[in-house]
Amino acid sequence: MADGSASVMDYEEHEKTYKNFINFSKVGVLAVLTFVLVIAMVGFGGTAGTVWASIITVANVIAAGVGMASGDRATLCQESSS
């Protein structure tokens, strides 16, 4: 680094990485909160709670996958229209 060979920071790539991190954080927090709800349903819901918890778990896994794959579409649409 002292020899002047350091590359210039790519701010566009930095912003993209930051937006992906924020998206991952949002999807992850919602997934964890859903699993907490599922644990409560299994613990206190009896048979019906277990059935609904299973359905919600499958839906949560699908929704998390879609959320991770889609990224932050609102921001991408705003950038492309600019």
Side-chain angles (χ1 to χ4, degrees):
M1 296 292 166
D3 60 359
S5 65
S7 62
V8 178
M9 184 171 169
D10 186 1
Y11 285 104
E12 184 176 321
E13 189 66 28
H14 174 76
E15 287 291 325
K16 181 181 170 186
T17 302
Y18 176 74
K19 288 175 184 174
N20 287 336
F21 171 75
I22 294 299
N23 182 53
F24 176 78
S25 298
K26 288 189 287 189
V27 172
V29 166
L30 291 175
V32 168
L33 291 176
T34 304
F35 280 121
V36 169
L37 175 67
V38 165
I39 290 170
M41 290 174 72
V42 169
F44 300 111
T47 303
T50 303
V51 170
W52 279 108
S54 300
I55 293 169
I56 290 173
T57 300
V58 171
N60 186 39
V61 169
I62 293 170
V66 169
M68 293 303 294
S70 67
D72 193 5
R73 293 286 184 208
T75 305
L76 293 175
C77 292
Q78 290 172 356
E79 289 174 356
S80 64
S81 66
S82 299

